[in-house]
Amino acid sequence: MIFFLFDFAVNHFFLFILCCLVVSTVVVKCMDHIRTSMTIEKAQKQRKDALHLMEKVITDFKEQHPELDTGHIVSLTLSQLVDQLKKGSLAAESVLVAYIEKALEVNKELNCLTDFLSECEAQLQEVKKQKEKGLLYGVPITLKDNVGYKGHDSHCGLVQFLGIADQEDSVIVQVLKKHGAVPFVKTNIPQSMINFDCSNSIFGQTLNPHNHKKTCGGSSGGEAALIAGGGAVLGVGTDVLGSIRMPCSFCGICGLKPSGNRLSSLGFSTPVSGMKSAVMMPGPMARDVDSLALFMKAVLCDDMFQLDPTVPPVPFRDEIYNSSKPLTIGFYDTDGYFLPSPGMRRAIQETKALLEEAGHKLVPFSPPRIEYALNELCIRGFFADGGSTLVDKFNADIVDPNLKQQMLLYKIPTIVKKIITFFMRPVFPRIANHVNAHCGVGSVKQLWKHNAAIKEYRCEYINEWKKLNLDALLCPMLGPAFNIGCPGKLFAGFCFTMLFNILNFPAGVLPVNIVTPEDEEELKNYKGYYNDLWDKDVIKGMEDGVGLPLAVQCVALPWQEEQCLRLMKEVENVTRGKLNK
């Protein structure tokens, strides 16, 4: 009897302990969720207050200047705006207020702003005191949310980064200010910036200005939406897998990803630091190619080279950008791995024909070992740790619905990913190889081998380039814009862009055409190369895209941003007014 009572007490004691552990775990999770929700609510209130402050700035200025014609100001190109500001035919205060008003108007429609940089008014007065008027004198500019600005968050769409104000401006912001630029707002991004949609649990979904059922792209999506909507004339984005080029393509504007380390990235936030396979680079986003060139000319200066001595002191080479020498341009309309949409292939072929008519030589080019490069070099390198560092950043967060499918893959243990790959490969070989690449490299020894493999592939690609004596390359972009919620199901959509991050080539995009009803009809029969789940997702993502922009990608060898921009300018010249826009 005593033994029975003792056994009963012991068993129930352990049961009691187990129940306590379960209850405590639930309580901790509930408390974490409450704290997260309160942090998000605080950030949302701060944004609401910032937007109200923008409205007050507009009201106060208009009471004193009722004659202000904001419509005329925001219709000017960047070069026209700079010219009139320097001549004094436009007051810098009027220009700033005009863009604050327009940005606020666009935000009400698209939800693209995260913060108002209220210091902009005081900074503008400092700009006016400068003895020499810089290249961007008095120009209001916008910043992607992860661009460091003193006194403001750079939260990467993640709750745990909220409330951590930057102690100083990023180097790029400091240099832009020296040239007279006036940063005035920050813009929205996808949660963790590892998605080409644009939604997070803090500020929600940003919409495409051309079609509100479509995403604006990501991760520099808020920038692209604001610029395309007319609320900004020049912005700063970042690109590690295509985060400048993708939203520019979706929204129909121009953008440039420079070579790694051509510009300083000091002071920029990222959820995963230390990763070397693909280098995050800041770059300009604007309505036309000349604006991108002006940005590069402004920041490639002694100020940046002194603030960040790790950046090679190579100024912008006007003679290359302004050259009229005919180019030898490689081109392809598909890489053999991910078939572009019918409209995109048409856009490439029509652009090729127009470039040939303009006197340039177009040469077919085949990128070598594309699937190997995308999976084994890009994805395996980007997720070298199996995704664990990125997953850790979500411990205090609410996963955005558009990111849940991606996060599920990142959270799966490596051994399970390998098992899934084994059983999936006979049916869906392309998707299986993609999943396997998310297992990472496994060890430091394998990481060294991986880094060596990237160098070998870069040499192989450059050798193919040199055999054809190419000046630059014309190739497809992902487009048209996807329906909201679809990008998270098709991370491989980055394949059009991330190749050039691994290669470390400068790459830019610009719009050349729009989707026609014929393109839409042809999309219904799209089967891709594998007719697998991804190819079916392409149809779901791109359907109902008539009238949306189609962009092409222009690429040059490392450190040849001027040559890349030169090709972009040539494309812009031959397509504007000649193709359906």
Side-chain angles (χ1 to χ4, degrees):
M1 183 67 178
I2 295 174
F3 177 78
F4 173 78
L5 291 174
F6 177 79
D7 184 60
F8 180 83
V10 168
N11 287 334
H12 280 71
F13 173 75
F14 283 113
L15 181 62
F16 174 75
I17 295 296
L18 180 62
C19 289
C20 288
L21 288 173
V22 171
V23 170
S24 63
T25 300
V26 172
V27 170
V28 168
K29 286 187 175 181
C30 287
M31 293 301 295
D32 286 343
H33 183 80
I34 291 171
R35 279 193 292 268
T36 297
S37 298
M38 290 175 65
T39 304
I40 289 174
E41 288 176 8
K42 182 179 178 181
Q44 290 172 344
K45 182 182 183 302
Q46 289 174 341
R47 180 175 75 155
K48 187 176 180 180
D49 292 342
L51 297 178
H52 283 322
L53 183 56
M54 291 174 73
E55 291 175 344
K56 185 177 185 304
V57 169
I58 297 164
T59 302
D60 290 349
F61 189 84
K62 283 193 166 184
E63 284 179 357
Q64 299 177 34
H65 303 86
E67 76 287 351
L68 178 64
D69 183 3
T70 58
H72 167 69
I73 292 172
V74 299
S75 69
L76 298 173
T77 65
L78 178 60
S79 59
Q80 291 170 338
L81 186 63
V82 170
D83 182 59
Q84 293 194 30
L85 280 166
K86 287 185 175 181
K87 287 179 179 177
S89 55
L90 275 179
E93 292 88 350
S94 297
V95 173
L96 178 59
V97 171
Y99 269 103
I100 291 175
E101 181 179 56
K102 186 63 178 179
L104 199 57
E105 176 189 322
V106 173
N107 181 68
K108 289 176 181 177
E109 180 186 350
L110 306 178
N111 186 39
C112 53
L113 303 183
T114 60
D115 199 2
F116 174 49
L117 308 177
S118 57
E119 303 89 340
C120 61
E121 292 184 281
Q123 191 230 324
L124 180 57
Q125 298 310 311
E126 292 300 314
V127 168
K128 293 175 69 176
K129 294 176 184 178
Q130 293 175 356
K131 292 181 180 179
E132 293 186 12
K133 295 180 178 179
L135 291 175
L136 296 170
Y137 173 77
V139 175
I141 64 168
T142 55
L143 308 176
K144 182 178 179 178
D145 197 272
N146 69 318
V147 181
Y149 192 94
K150 185 177 179 179
H152 294 261
D153 294 355
S154 301
H155 56 71
C156 301
L158 293 164
V159 169
Q160 67 172 267
F161 288 179
L162 287 172
I164 306 174
D166 291 308
Q167 297 303 302
E168 61 179 357
D169 292 339
S170 57
V171 167
I172 285 290
V173 168
Q174 292 181 55
V175 175
L176 288 167
K177 284 183 174 181
K178 285 179 180 289
H179 276 282
V182 183
F184 73 103
V185 290
K186 281 193 163 191
T187 55
N188 204 25
I189 50 178
Q191 190 175 36
S192 78
M193 303 192 298
I194 312 295
N195 194 316
F196 62 95
D197 207 326
C198 191
S199 177
N200 58 67
S201 61
I202 307 165
F203 299 123
Q205 177 78 49
T206 300
L207 308 176
N208 189 301
H210 303 283
N211 183 334
H212 293 177
K213 294 180 180 179
K214 300 284 183 175
T215 177
C216 59
S219 63
S220 307
E223 279 296 308
L226 183 61
I227 294 169
V233 70
L234 180 66
V236 181
T238 59
D239 192 309
V240 70
L241 291 176
S243 293
I244 286 175
R245 290 161 287 160
M246 200 75 81
C248 286
S249 171
F250 284 11
C251 291
I253 64 169
C254 303
L256 175 70
K257 178 208 79 72
S259 308
N261 213 40
R262 182 78 196 265
L263 302 181
S264 174
S265 59
L266 288 181
F268 285 67
S269 295
T270 173
V272 181
S273 58
M275 187 264 298
K276 297 294 184 182
S277 298
V279 181
M280 183 193 76
M281 278 307 300
M285 301 167 69
R287 302 173 197 164
D288 55 55
V289 178
D290 280 340
S291 298
L292 305 181
L294 181 60
F295 174 96
M296 294 297 289
K297 186 175 181 178
V299 297
L300 290 172
C301 64
D302 288 340
D303 290 319
M304 184 174 70
F305 306 145
Q306 290 172 10
L307 287 166
D308 186 356
T310 67
V311 174
V314 181
F316 190 80
R317 293 161 289 186
D318 276 305
E319 67 277 10
I320 297 176
Y321 178 62
N322 293 320
S323 173
S324 58
K325 177 185 174 183
L327 298 171
T328 300
I329 305 165
F331 80 94
Y332 59 90
D333 65 4
T334 180
D335 57 15
Y337 175 74
F338 200 110
L339 186 68
S341 67
M344 180 58 63
R345 298 189 74 181
R346 176 179 58 81
I348 287 285
Q349 291 296 333
E350 290 181 352
T351 303
K352 166 193 172 285
L354 288 169
L355 286 169
E356 287 176 325
E357 289 177 14
H360 302 288
K361 181 180 179 182
L362 276 291
V363 181
F365 180 83
S366 297
R369 297 193 292 157
I370 193 70
E371 184 170 2
Y372 163 79
L374 296 174
N375 283 327
E376 296 306 312
L377 302 183
C378 297
I379 299 297
R380 195 175 295 280
F382 193 82
F383 296 99
D385 63 348
S388 61
T389 302
L390 181 63
V391 169
D392 288 345
K393 298 298 188 296
F394 286 81
N395 288 340
D397 220 318
I398 300 170
V399 178
D400 185 83
N402 292 333
L403 202 64
K404 283 186 176 179
Q405 187 163 315
Q406 282 180 236
M407 287 303 299
L408 177 62
L409 175 59
Y410 304 153
K411 289 180 177 180
I412 295 173
T414 297
I415 185 63
V416 178
K417 289 175 188 171
K418 291 182 177 181
I419 293 171
I420 292 172
T421 297
F422 178 80
F423 287 104
M424 184 183 285
R425 185 167 281 126
V427 185
F428 301 120
R430 179 171 62 164
I431 301 175
N433 292 335
H434 177 79
V435 171
N436 185 56
H438 281 78
C439 294
V441 297
S443 67
V444 173
K445 182 179 180 180
Q446 291 303 315
L447 180 61
W448 291 348
K449 288 183 178 180
H450 180 268
N451 290 338
I454 291 175
K455 290 183 179 180
E456 290 171 6
Y457 181 77
R458 188 178 296 137
C459 290
E460 179 183 352
Y461 201 100
I462 290 173
N463 286 336
E464 292 298 315
W465 185 294
K466 287 183 174 180
K467 285 178 185 178
L468 300 174
N469 197 29
L470 302 181
D471 294 310
L473 180 67
L474 175 73
C475 52
M477 265 302 302
L478 185 67
F482 272 43
N483 290 313
I484 289 172
C486 291
K489 302 173 183 176
L490 198 63
F491 185 80
F494 275 118
C495 71
F496 293 97
T497 53
M498 63 183 173
L499 175 66
F500 301 112
N501 294 86
I502 286 292
L503 289 170
N504 200 17
F505 287 11
V509 300
L510 73 160
V512 298
N513 214 314
I514 60 171
V515 178
T516 66
E518 292 76 16
D519 296 330
E520 182 76 20
E521 192 62 30
E522 194 174 343
L523 179 66
K524 295 176 182 178
N525 300 316
Y526 177 96
K527 297 187 184 302
Y529 286 113
Y530 294 82
N531 197 25
D532 56 15
L533 298 176
W534 282 356
D535 288 328
K536 291 178 172 59
D537 283 336
V538 167
I539 299 174
K540 295 176 184 176
M542 294 185 181
E543 63 186 0
D544 300 324
V546 174
L548 291 178
L550 293 168
V552 296
Q553 190 168 201
C554 300
V555 183
L557 291 175
W559 310 109
Q560 295 186 18
E561 281 71 20
E562 298 86 350
Q563 189 76 291
C564 179
L565 288 165
R566 164 82 200 285
L567 175 55
M568 292 177 71
K569 185 64 178 177
E570 294 292 336
V571 171
E572 184 179 65
N573 287 339
V574 299
T575 57
R576 290 200 169 172
K578 292 188 177 181
L579 292 179
N580 298 322
K581 285 194 60 70

